[in-house]
Amino acid sequence: MKSNKLSLVLFFSGAMMFQAVEKREIALKSEVISTNISVPFQQMPANIKSFLAKYYPKATVTKYESKNTLVGRKYEVKLNNGVEIDFDKNGNWEEISDKQGVPTALIPVKIKAYVDKKYKGAKVESIDKEKNKIKVDLNNDIDLEFDKNGNFLRID
């Protein structure tokens, strides 16, 4: 009986720690997805707004989320055309998912050249900049991995 109570206390302590991560979410439609709305859309960093205006001028933001993480604030944006973009604390994109194809201006030149040469006609549906590599998913179900300089590493 005593070990059951201890297990229960540990479980709830872990759950409380998990809930301690601050999450701010805002829905731009009439429905509210989260009651923890504390960052208005107008306070979205200016460089994120200008990025969206430049690369997705016809799209509108349907969801904007701001989170505090161990490495700093992160931003997640979803557009009405299905595009999802994650930004770092400085407003630089980290990951873009676009089923119509990521804008070519956002794909590093070496990676774009490699894809054009090896997979003629394929579009980049997703690009993810990680610490030491860049992952690219093509619309033909091929996933590629490059180093941070755009040199091909492997098919993932």
Side-chain angles (χ1 to χ4, degrees):
M1 181 73 172
K2 202 170 203 176
S3 68
N4 285 343
K5 287 182 181 179
L6 181 59
S7 296
L8 191 58
V9 168
L10 290 174
F11 172 76
F12 282 116
S13 297
M16 295 302 287
M17 288 178 63
F18 182 73
Q19 291 292 328
V21 174
E22 179 183 351
K23 182 176 179 183
R24 296 176 184 178
E25 188 174 291
I26 172 172
L28 300 178
K29 293 182 179 178
S30 59
E31 74 230 14
V32 175
I33 295 174
S34 172
T35 57
N36 193 8
I37 298 174
S38 55
V39 177
F41 173 73
Q42 292 76 17
Q43 291 181 0
M44 181 186 291
N47 53 344
I48 293 177
K49 288 181 184 178
S50 63
F51 174 92
L52 296 173
K54 182 176 182 177
Y55 296 107
Y56 295 96
K58 295 179 182 176
T60 57
V61 175
T62 58
K63 184 177 176 184
Y64 167 69
E65 191 173 333
S66 173
K67 298 179 184 179
N68 278 334
T69 66
L70 295 175
V71 294
R73 188 170 296 281
K74 300 274 185 170
Y75 304 95
E76 293 179 13
V77 175
K78 292 184 182 182
L79 305 178
N80 66 335
N81 59 3
V83 174
E84 296 182 16
I85 309 167
D86 294 343
F87 296 91
D88 67 12
K89 63 184 176 187
N90 298 318
N92 301 311
W93 70 268
E94 292 183 319
E95 184 175 359
I96 302 172
S97 176
D98 184 346
K99 298 296 181 194
Q100 287 80 42
V102 173
T104 57
L106 298 173
I107 303 168
V109 175
K110 279 179 103 171
I111 293 174
K112 176 76 174 116
Y114 182 88
V115 169
D116 288 346
K117 182 179 178 183
K118 299 284 186 175
Y119 303 98
K120 199 160 219 53
K123 290 184 182 179
V124 174
E125 284 188 335
S126 171
I127 186 164
D128 183 7
K129 291 190 287 187
E130 296 181 358
K131 186 176 181 176
N132 293 318
K133 59 186 169 187
I134 300 172
K135 292 183 176 183
V136 172
D137 297 343
L138 303 180
N139 63 339
N140 59 5
D141 292 329
I142 295 177
D143 300 339
L144 306 172
E145 198 170 289
F146 299 85
D147 68 15
K148 64 181 179 179
N149 297 318
N151 298 308
F152 176 75
L153 296 175
R154 65 187 178 108
I155 295 177
D156 195 22

